Amino acid sequence: MLQIGCHLSASKGFLHMGKEILSIGGNTFQFFTRNPRGGKAKDVDEKDVQAFLEFRQENGIGTILAHAPYTLNACSADERVREFAFEVMSDDLRRMEYIPGNLYNFHPGSHVSQGAEKGIEMIAGLLNRVLKEEQTTTVLLETMAGKGSEVGRSFEELRAIIDKVDLNSHLGVCLDTCHVYDAGYDIVSHLEEVLEEFDQVIGFGRLKALHVNDSKNPFGSHKDRHEKIGEGTLGIQTFEAIVRHPVLRELPMYLETPNELEGYRKEIELFKKMYE
Ligand code: FE
Ligand code: FE
Ligand code: ZN
């Protein structure tokens, strides 16, 4: 069954997001664990969580994806920024256990001028402090567009992080279609080859989710500007191929396109049609 949803505002709680996604035809969703620019998270509302867990069961809402704030930088040169990343991620993962067995996605970080190797070292270092044997949440490294000094611009960089983490059975990858295309993986003309490369370098077993976004920019631009499905440089046929692909069609897909709910409703509808 197709698992499709979009990014929703978490401000009114989990039950609200569950109802909202059903109202626009989806069966999963993504949300920020706190203000995307960082800041303090709201206390866990156990009543809301309980109501959501029941609602989710009754309505067949699948795996949900929590997204860490953008400001989190595990490989900043500034130790205080790295410590903030540690605190936010530890706290987020503790809270995720109220809704066990889901996914938590983060941008690996920007090494600024320290070099990717140093960045990879620091990101793995943070994960080695944060991950707990008993956790039920899978932490996902997002494939990045390679804007500025972003780490995670290549499959090799993600693989290098994973290899340095002891409890890496808790790690996976979220593939963002806009980001990989901007990073220089040609999923428009060579989807199959790109996926083969992913499988060889990282392994399909690590691929746990997709961010389905079109791109405002040309191939290899390293820009990271999302576009509505079918209105960007990836084009509708790329998403058709993704939805029909035997491995990709089994993964939960999250839209992060520039849309309000009504726009998301249309895109979800489109994905369902393409999936048939
Ligand atoms: Fe992201
Ligand atoms: Fe994304
Ligand atoms: Zn992006």
Side-chain angles (χ1 to χ4, degrees):
M1 196 186 58
L2 176 64
Q3 299 174 73
I4 180 81
C6 63
H7 188 92
L8 294 177
S9 162
S11 63
K12 291 181 183 150
F14 284 104
L15 181 60
H16 186 268
M17 288 190 280
K19 289 180 175 171
E20 197 160 65
I21 201 63
L22 284 191
S23 79
I24 57 170
N27 56 8
T28 180
F29 58 87
Q30 171 179 277
F31 62 99
F32 281 124
T33 54
R34 59 190 74 213
N35 182 308
R37 309 214 56 82
K40 201 181 175 308
K42 279 197 297 185
D43 288 333
V44 177
D45 177 349
E46 291 192 46
K47 260 168 78 181
D48 173 52
V49 165
Q50 200 48 48
F52 170 68
L53 289 173
E54 282 164 29
F55 184 82
R56 180 183 167 197
Q57 183 95 34
E58 285 161 15
N59 294 284
I61 293 174
T63 308
I64 59 170
L65 176 57
H67 197 303
Y70 292 143
T71 44
L72 192 145
N73 187 2
C75 59
S76 168
D78 184 341
E79 201 195 320
R80 285 166 307 179
V81 175
R82 295 202 304 275
E83 208 46 36
F84 174 76
F86 168 73
E87 276 156 24
V88 166
M89 208 188 272
S90 315
D91 186 46
D92 281 352
L93 288 178
R94 183 184 61 75
R95 300 151 59 87
M96 285 296 287
E97 291 301 314
Y98 283 89
I99 320 159
N102 287 290
L103 303 169
Y104 179 80
N105 175 69
F106 77 109
H107 297 179
S110 292
H111 64 72
V112 191
S113 55
Q114 306 174 93
E117 213 170 307
K118 189 84 197 280
I120 287 164
E121 202 73 53
M122 285 172 164
I123 296 158
L126 173 97
L127 289 167
N128 277 324
R129 287 173 70 199
V130 160
L131 297 181
K132 301 261 184 294
E133 185 84 61
E134 66 277 12
Q135 74 179 62
T136 65
T137 303
T138 301
V139 175
L140 307 184
L141 301 155
E142 182 166 351
T143 59
M144 301 311 291
K147 194 174 50 179
S149 64
E150 275 174 350
V151 179
R153 61 177 65 214
S154 70
F155 299 156
E156 283 78 8
E157 287 187 1
L158 296 178
R159 174 61 196 261
I161 296 168
I162 293 166
D163 281 343
K164 287 180 167 36
V165 175
D166 298 325
L167 294 173
N168 68 23
S169 62
H170 294 309
L171 284 185
V173 171
C174 173
L175 188 144
D176 185 310
T177 55
C178 167
H179 296 179
V180 291
Y181 190 64
D182 285 13
Y185 290 100
D186 189 1
I187 56 172
V188 172
S189 307
H190 300 283
L191 178 65
E192 200 49 57
E193 288 89 334
V194 170
L195 292 174
E196 258 168 49
E197 192 177 338
F198 184 98
D199 193 30
Q200 273 163 25
V201 176
I202 301 177
F204 276 148
R206 297 273 180 198
L207 187 54
K208 304 292 185 194
L210 298 177
H211 279 164
V212 279
N213 304 308
D214 213 320
S215 174
K216 282 192 195 295
N217 287 291
F219 175 64
S221 60
H222 301 294
K223 280 281 205 292
D224 187 3
R225 295 275 311 283
H226 303 182
E227 182 53 284
K228 291 178 181 149
I229 301 297
E231 294 183 21
T233 50
L234 271 67
I236 194 70
Q237 66 292 343
T238 303
F239 295 98
E240 261 164 10
I242 286 169
V243 168
R244 291 191 184 137
H245 188 276
V247 173
L248 303 184
R249 67 190 267 124
E250 300 300 325
L251 299 169
M253 302 181 192
Y254 304 90
L255 293 154
E256 301 175 306
T257 45
N259 274 306
E260 302 294 327
L261 279 184
E262 184 52 28
Y264 279 136
R265 194 186 60 72
K266 289 189 186 130
E267 290 185 345
I268 288 170
E269 173 87 34
L270 178 65
F271 271 81
K272 285 176 162 176
K273 279 217 187 83
M274 296 189 295
Y275 183 85
E276 282 168 8

